[in-house]
Each structure stands twice: as C-alpha cells, then as structure tokens.
Amino acid sequence: MAHDPARGRRVREAISRREIRKVHALAAELNVSVAAVSRWQNGGHTSLESACALAQLLDVSLDWLLLGRGTMEWHKNSTISQTELQWVLALRSRSAMIRAGLINLLQAIPPEQPLR
C-alpha cells in the first residue's frame, strides 16, 4: 500500500484508543519490527497481511483502518438483514437520478430520538 498520511493517523488513533503504550510490545505481538509499526503510524507501506493482523489485534474495522470507510467499530455491527440487502440491491438497480433522489429523501428524515 502506498504512502497515506490519513491511514497513518488512523493507525495512531487505533493504537491510542486501545491504550497500547509500548510500540515494542505491539511489534512483538504482530511479529514485525518496531520500524514497521513506526512506518505504519506515519502512513508508510504495509502489506495486506500486516494490515489484517493489525486490525484484528486492535479490534478495528479493516475498511476503516486502510481506507477510512465507515467507523472504527463498524465490523462489530456489520450484519445486514435480508430486507436491508433487498433494498440495497433495489437501489443499485435504479438510475443515478432516482438513487440520488432516494438518498436525499433518506438523509432528510431526522433520526429517531430515544424514548425517555
């Protein structure tokens, strides 16, 4: 993976949120060098294998870690019901204009407030 400063920030954030203070311990756990972990924290090259191991160890979403998609915790609630899947597939089969209109409509609906 090419140099990506934003990915480096996400790596640092995930390490910090998991309260890992010793880069040496993290490197040993992943069976990589301290220099490799430092390179990742600065947005440098990482292999997919190392990224997967890091995401698993830090318990973060791989999509979030590598690409910034979703949230750090997205992988913990990634199940999709059959109905949700049907709606997504139906949306994908519509024209760009209809998709945009439906997405705008959904975004205009205010979120539900929790009952008190």
Side-chain angles (χ1 to χ4, degrees), residues 23-107:
V23 175
H24 289 77
L26 178 62
E29 185 75 26
L30 294 169
N31 198 29
V32 298
S33 68
V34 172
V37 174
S38 178
R39 183 176 61 243
W40 302 340
Q41 290 178 315
N42 291 310
H45 171 77
T46 182
S47 68
L48 185 56
E49 180 181 353
S50 293
C52 288
L54 182 62
Q56 185 172 15
L57 181 68
L58 297 176
D59 193 24
V60 298
S61 162
L62 184 61
D63 269 357
W64 174 81
L65 187 68
L66 291 180
L67 305 172
R69 290 193 303 209
T71 66
M72 186 186 292
E73 307 288 332
W74 184 83
H75 67 294
K76 293 182 179 183
N77 186 17
S78 62
T79 57
I80 184 169
S81 72
Q82 187 63 36
T83 302
E84 290 169 321
L85 180 59
Q86 288 172 342
W87 280 109
V88 168
L89 294 174
L91 181 63
R92 287 182 178 171
S93 69
R94 301 305 192 265
S95 71
M97 187 175 80
I98 291 176
R99 280 195 313 269
L102 288 171
I103 289 170
N104 287 336
L105 175 64
L106 289 172
Q107 290 174 335

Side-chain angles (χ1 to χ4, degrees), residues 15-28:
I15 291 170
S16 174
R17 286 215 182 157
R18 298 302 180 239
E19 298 182 357
I20 296 173
R21 304 280 183 244
K22 305 285 185 187
V23 175
H24 289 77
L26 178 62

